[in-house]
């Protein structure tokens, strides 16, 4: 079977079965942190493998497999935002988007005859990094695909793709794995707080693995401890501590605050927490002191802050407001 995570066995079988009648365009879609990109690579390696009697996986030994493992297969083209391209160190040109120019380059590639008289593959990840112009440039190729070509798109946010792209791809959806399978895997990776990390990652196992990072947990707990101090904490001093945050760090703080708010609400309404299993007891006693309406208003406030994360005008001021509002919840 293809190299796959334990929760991808059915998806891997489904992909392998396409080998009989390969569509010209496949879109693997689902939440981030499920390993779709890794499975797409392993599928591409399988398709390009020269071993004639390959059954369910690449042989790992032929010239094609060797090229693939070295990242230099002449019939494989990877289309990704330059920000993800670690081999390119020209910082100045780094972008989070896939440009029209990159798409045109990929189209030229796929229209050439294959190096080995076989298949040519373009892997696009994340597909939502193509803005309208780039997506439109790809569209013509999806409409009139060259023979022996596969456009393999992978997306964490397929809803952001233009409908004409979606309608021309064969869709393969990825669901969240069963909790037990994800927990087994996380424990096998040495994650000690597997259940907590999986909750914080909203069920995505690869994301949960990242969140098991000790530094991440230390920063999360530092903020939550401050929040727990409730009324006694000084919102201004707290905001000042987080004043010099980058956009990404600010987004992280907002996410933690949102999870905190949702857990307060869930505790109040349903008597249980969703995310912070390690603070369940403290959240229960806090929830008794908070009123429903102001809590919902605070959630709306966090939602607005999240929307503005890309352009935080003044991180310190926004955080001061949010934290003051938070303290007022307990008046
Ligand atoms: Zn091979």
């Amino acid at each position: 079977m293809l190299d796959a995570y334990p929760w991808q066995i059915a998806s891997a079988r489904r992909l392998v079965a396409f080998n009989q009648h390969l569509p010209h365009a496949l879109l693997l879609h689902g939440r981030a942190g499920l390993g779709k990109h890794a499975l797409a690579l392993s599928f591409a390696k399988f398709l390009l493998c020269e071993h004639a009697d390959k059954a369910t996986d690449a042989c790992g030994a032929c010239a094609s497999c060797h090229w693939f493992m070295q990242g230099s297969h002449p019939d494989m083209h990877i289309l990704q935002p330059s920000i993800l391209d670690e081999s390119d160190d020209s910082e100045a040109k780094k972008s989070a988007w896939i440009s029209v120019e990159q798409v045109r380059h990929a189209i030229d590639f796929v229209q050439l005859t294959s190096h080995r008289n076989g298949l040519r593959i373009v892997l696009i990840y994340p597909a939502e990094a193509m803005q309208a112009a780039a997506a439109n440039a790809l569209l013509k190729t999806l409409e009139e695909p060259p023979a022996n070509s596969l456009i393999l798109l992978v997306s964490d946010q397929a809803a952001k793709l233009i409908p004409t792209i979606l309608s021309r791809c064969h869709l393969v959806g990825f669901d969240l794995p069963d909790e037990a399978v994800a927990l087994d895997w996380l424990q096998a990776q040495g994650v000690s707080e597997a259940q907590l990390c999986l909750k914080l990652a909203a069920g995505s196992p690869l994301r949960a693995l990242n969140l098991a990072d000790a530094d991440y947990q230390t920063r999360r707990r530092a903020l939550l401890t401050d929040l727990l101090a409730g009324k006694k904490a000084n919102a201004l001093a707290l905001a000042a501590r987080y004043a010099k945050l980058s956009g990404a760090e600010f987004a992280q703080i907002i996410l933690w605050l949102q999870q905190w708010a949702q857990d307060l609400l869930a505790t109040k309404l349903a008597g249980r927490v969703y995310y912070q299993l390690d603070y369940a007891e403290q959240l229960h006693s806090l929830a008794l002191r908070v009123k429903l309406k102001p809590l919902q208003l605070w959630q709306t406030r966090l939602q607005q802050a999240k929307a503005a994360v890309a352009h935080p005008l003044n991180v310190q001021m926004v955080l001061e407001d949010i934290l003051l509002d938070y303290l007022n919840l307990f008046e």
Side-chain angles (χ1 to χ4, degrees):
M1 186 47 62
L2 299 183
D3 276 340
Y5 292 105
W7 57 88
Q8 294 180 321
I9 306 299
S11 306
R13 285 210 183 95
R14 199 172 157 205
L15 289 181
V16 165
F18 279 122
N19 194 25
Q20 305 303 318
H21 301 282
L22 194 62
H24 287 291
L26 269 170
L27 169 64
L28 315 192
H29 66 97
R31 292 255 300 274
L34 300 181
K36 301 181 299 296
H37 182 230
L39 189 62
L41 281 171
S42 141
F43 179 50
K45 181 180 167 195
F46 162 73
L47 292 173
L48 293 170
C49 172
E50 291 165 8
H51 217 273
D53 60 357
K54 63 184 176 185
T56 56
D57 196 6
C59 73
C62 69
S64 177
C65 283
H66 278 297
W67 279 329
F68 199 95
M69 289 182 283
Q70 284 163 4
S72 60
H73 199 293
D75 293 326
M76 175 83 191
H77 185 91
I78 293 182
L79 194 50
Q80 62 187 5
S82 51
I83 205 166
L84 296 177
D85 187 358
E86 284 157 9
S87 65
D88 181 1
D89 48 13
S90 57
E91 285 296 329
K93 283 204 223 151
K94 296 263 187 215
S95 161
W97 302 105
I98 291 172
S99 68
V100 180
E101 203 179 26
Q102 282 177 289
V103 171
R104 292 207 178 112
H105 187 64
I107 293 171
D108 288 345
F109 163 86
V110 86
Q111 276 165 347
L112 294 170
T113 311
S114 141
H115 191 77
R116 307 177 67 79
N117 257 337
L119 183 67
R120 302 213 113 191
I121 300 177
V122 174
L123 173 66
I124 308 179
Y125 174 77
E128 63 271 18
M130 291 185 292
Q131 289 178 300
N136 281 317
L138 179 70
L139 207 51
K140 203 169 278 174
T141 306
L142 292 179
E143 282 164 354
E144 297 163 29
N148 275 334
S149 68
L150 171 67
I151 310 285
L152 190 50
L153 300 102
V154 180
S155 176
D156 299 335
Q157 294 170 292
K160 286 189 175 171
L161 298 174
I162 56 176
T164 37
I165 292 269
L166 287 173
S167 67
R168 279 167 181 82
C169 293
H170 197 102
L171 306 185
V172 181
F174 286 68
D175 295 326
L176 283 182
D178 283 345
E179 191 178 89
V181 175
L183 288 177
D184 276 354
W185 180 80
L186 283 167
Q187 275 150 7
Q189 310 308 307
V191 175
S192 55
E193 295 178 298
Q195 194 150 29
L196 170 68
C197 292
L198 193 61
K199 286 283 185 197
L200 291 175
S204 288
L206 298 182
R207 177 147 170 72
L209 182 62
N210 285 335
L211 301 192
D213 174 64
D215 178 53
Y216 178 91
Q217 291 301 339
T218 304
R219 285 183 292 122
R220 182 180 74 90
R221 288 186 175 125
L223 176 72
L224 300 190
T225 304
D226 284 339
L227 291 182
L228 271 177
K231 219 171 182 177
K232 281 169 273 171
N234 181 332
L236 302 185
L238 199 53
R241 193 179 317 160
Y242 294 106
K244 296 265 179 323
L245 295 178
S246 70
E249 290 164 332
F250 180 62
Q252 180 62 75
I253 299 276
I254 296 296
L255 177 71
W256 284 330
L257 291 173
Q258 283 189 302
Q259 290 184 335
W260 189 252
Q262 284 180 37
D263 271 348
L264 272 174
L265 191 66
T267 309
K268 199 152 185 66
L269 297 181
R272 65 196 177 100
V273 300
Y274 281 109
Y275 299 106
Q276 276 105 176
L277 301 179
D278 51 346
Y279 285 85
E281 219 171 285
Q282 295 95 322
L283 279 160
H284 274 285
S285 44
L286 262 192
L288 295 174
R289 295 170 45 206
V290 68
K291 291 204 176 65
L292 195 55
K293 191 72 192 162
L295 178 57
Q296 287 167 326
L297 286 174
W298 191 57
Q299 281 191 302
T300 309
R301 180 79 189 77
L302 289 171
Q303 197 61 42
Q304 290 162 345
K306 188 189 172 198
V309 147
H311 315 281
L313 290 176
N314 182 332
V315 168
Q316 187 169 356
M317 219 161 74
V318 173
L319 271 178
E320 273 173 14
D321 278 356
I322 287 173
L323 292 169
L324 278 173
D325 284 354
Y326 172 73
L327 294 183
N328 286 335
L329 294 178
F330 303 101
E331 285 299 302

